[in-house]
Amino acid sequence: MSEPRLRDQLRVEPGTKVRLARFDPSDTHGHTKGASETELADGLVRLAGLQDRLWAEGKHPVLVILQGIDAAGKDGTVHHVMSAFSPQGCPVTDFKVPSSLEMGHDYLWRVHQHAPAKGEIAIFNRSHYEDVLVVRVHDLVPKATWKRRYDQINDWERMLVEEGTTVVKFFLVIDRDEQRRRFQDRFSDPTKRWKFKMGDLAERARWDDYTQAFEDALGRCSTAVAPWYLIPANKNWFRNLAVAEILGDVLEELKPAYPPIDPSVPADLVID
Ligand code: AMP
Ligand code: MG
């Protein structure tokens, strides 16, 4: 029997009601820290090879979405996993508080512009999901407006998939105590302090509201064509390993291949 894949273990099955209280963010699914360094190194080599072929082939757009509460490790995932990719084929977009230009449009406008072209792997660090998360928690739009967005998001993602894009969504889960440790660490470490904002504490105080918003977004927007993967992220090494393995499995399924050789080039060509 083949080994269980994290892709199958961590996927949110469409139609399930997600309860984060029942999810263990420290679970390592039988992986050990000792072996993780080699495992991750192998995973990154695999990703690098897949991306090189995907880019050379120029046929498939891939969209990777990263979400998670503050300090869940979104930036760290970009740094430690997506670094396997050549920057040339891998644009990363951070979605912050919308600018006034962005606010003048519908919420998908700013996002759609950064959707990947054929051969690219576009990374979204936060995404249109903010429009059913922070926007919901802070009542930035009426309830009737954000409630409609789950279906709109599913429709938009389905359109991308039907047009050829592969959509992979990672939700990084840490618990409240781990967030406390990370904030404390950010505050104490002069190289990380810039990341800490007083506003982070106000958001932390709304932990339960965020949890409810996360559960709804995960449950309502994990679809067969664009599933969510729930990543236990208390341990950075496991988070990296899990994202690398799942992304590798997804990319492998696309069977990216170098383009055929130009038939006008003679097989025995010698360049002098
Ligand atoms: P960071 O990821 O720490 O740089 O922070 C970006 C901030 O922008 C977070 O607090 C997000 O919640 C916020 N943000 C992102 N998208 C939106 C949005 N559509 N509406 C309001 N706030 C947003
Ligand atoms: Mg922040």
Side-chain angles (χ1 to χ4, degrees):
M1 224 175 72
S2 59
E3 270 188 45
R5 301 303 286 173
L6 291 167
R7 187 183 180 190
D8 300 316
Q9 294 172 298
L10 301 178
R11 184 172 38 235
V12 177
E13 290 311 321
T16 43
K17 225 172 157 40
V18 176
R19 283 283 159 262
L20 288 173
R22 286 198 222 118
F23 185 82
D24 178 6
S26 295
D27 200 348
T28 60
H29 291 264
H31 293 264
T32 60
K33 186 164 193 219
S36 70
E37 224 167 284
T38 325
E39 263 185 282
L40 180 63
D42 291 349
L44 297 187
V45 169
R46 177 186 179 218
L47 283 178
L50 285 161
Q51 192 245 342
D52 197 52
R53 281 177 272 146
L54 194 93
W55 175 248
E57 186 179 51
K59 261 168 70 175
H60 304 284
V62 177
L63 173 59
V64 178
I65 295 176
L66 293 171
Q67 286 285 165
I69 203 153
D70 291 326
K74 300 180 289 297
D75 297 346
T77 305
V78 174
H79 187 161
H80 295 287
V81 183
M82 312 311 171
S83 52
F85 302 144
S86 163
Q88 203 167 18
C90 181
V92 181
T93 310
D94 290 346
F95 290 97
K96 307 279 186 184
V97 177
S99 68
S100 53
L101 174 67
E102 291 168 344
M103 287 294 270
H105 293 264
D106 70 86
Y107 68 101
L108 291 173
W109 179 80
R110 68 168 181 163
V111 182
H112 203 158
Q113 308 176 50
H114 296 284
K118 290 171 183 166
E120 279 182 350
I121 301 176
I123 313 293
F124 284 5
N125 186 344
R126 301 188 191 266
S127 65
H128 46 294
Y129 282 95
E130 293 294 321
D131 293 280
V132 289
L133 298 174
V134 64
V135 166
R136 165 178 167 171
V137 167
H138 287 274
D139 296 316
L140 300 180
V141 298
K143 183 171 182 181
T145 302
W146 61 253
K147 279 200 125 175
R148 285 194 294 262
R149 291 182 174 173
Y150 301 101
D151 288 339
Q152 293 166 354
I153 288 173
N154 288 342
D155 287 345
W156 182 73
E157 291 180 357
R158 185 171 42 78
M159 183 279 293
L160 290 183
V161 172
E162 285 173 357
E163 290 289 314
T165 301
T166 298
V167 179
V168 199
K169 304 184 293 198
F170 295 107
F171 190 90
L172 312 179
V173 188
I174 57 170
D175 57 34
R176 211 163 179 266
D177 206 45
E178 182 59 25
Q179 192 196 46
R180 182 188 59 73
R181 274 194 289 276
R182 292 182 186 195
F183 278 171
Q184 191 67 56
D185 185 48
R186 278 184 184 179
F187 182 73
S188 315
D189 181 341
T191 68
K192 294 182 182 167
R193 198 163 184 169
W194 64 273
K195 273 199 161 192
F196 182 82
K197 304 199 174 57
M198 279 313 284
D200 290 346
L201 298 183
E203 296 309 300
R204 174 171 165 78
R206 295 175 185 254
W207 185 274
D208 294 341
D209 293 341
Y210 270 107
T211 298
Q212 202 165 38
F214 293 154
E215 291 177 343
D216 284 346
L218 290 161
R220 298 197 54 181
C221 300
S222 196
T223 58
V225 295
W228 273 110
Y229 295 95
L230 261 184
I231 308 295
N234 270 3
K235 294 179 167 59
N236 293 346
W237 64 263
F238 180 73
R239 172 203 75 205
N240 293 339
L241 208 79
V243 171
E245 182 185 300
I246 294 169
L247 200 48
D249 285 4
V250 169
L251 294 179
E252 213 151 71
E253 224 163 55
L254 295 173
K255 299 189 170 40
Y258 292 112
I261 299 162
D262 177 349
S264 69
V265 178
D268 55 356
L269 177 71
V270 178
I271 299 163
D272 52 22

